[in-house]
Amino acid sequence: MMLQAPLLGRIEGIRHGFFNRDGGVSEGIYASLNGGVGSKDDTQSVSENRARMARALDVAPDRFIGCYQIPMYLTPILLGRFYRRIADHEAGENPVT
């Protein structure tokens, strides 16, 4: 399953998604849609999982960009800055970069 954020969906040229564990080929302790290139999961499984995520977003696998999880205590700080930038962009002020 893929979830999408309404604010990110408003930005032209960005395709995004937040994926849960369903639909992956990883096995054992990684049995999921594990896209973590930094994990100790089988690299072929991770590549296939990432290709599946890319297909869900309708992008080429070599254009798929992931991110690393951050500690929960940093999330409000980072999201606060991001949402402020979105609000500025929607108000016609600074472009989102």
Side-chain angles (χ1 to χ4, degrees):
M1 174 187 276
M2 178 178 71
L3 302 173
Q4 294 186 302
L7 285 176
L8 289 175
R10 295 182 194 170
I11 303 171
E12 192 173 320
I14 292 181
R15 296 180 193 168
H16 76 284
F18 301 93
F19 295 88
N20 68 8
R21 299 175 57 88
D22 297 337
V25 299
S26 294
E27 298 177 344
I29 64 169
Y30 298 103
S32 66
L33 184 66
N34 178 27
V37 294
S39 72
K40 294 183 180 174
D41 192 1
D42 175 68
T43 55
Q44 289 181 327
S45 294
V46 171
S47 293
E48 175 58 27
N49 290 336
R50 292 175 65 86
R52 289 177 182 207
M53 289 184 244
R55 279 193 299 274
L57 292 168
D58 195 28
V59 298
D62 64 336
R63 302 285 299 177
F64 179 78
I65 300 171
C67 59
Y68 289 96
Q69 268 183 300
I70 58 170
M72 194 63 150
Y73 66 88
L74 292 176
T75 304
I77 297 166
L78 296 174
L79 289 180
R81 289 180 185 160
F82 178 75
Y83 284 118
R84 241 188 337 271
R85 293 181 73 142
I86 296 291
D88 290 347
H89 175 68
E90 290 177 348
E93 296 174 14
N94 303 317
V96 177
T97 55

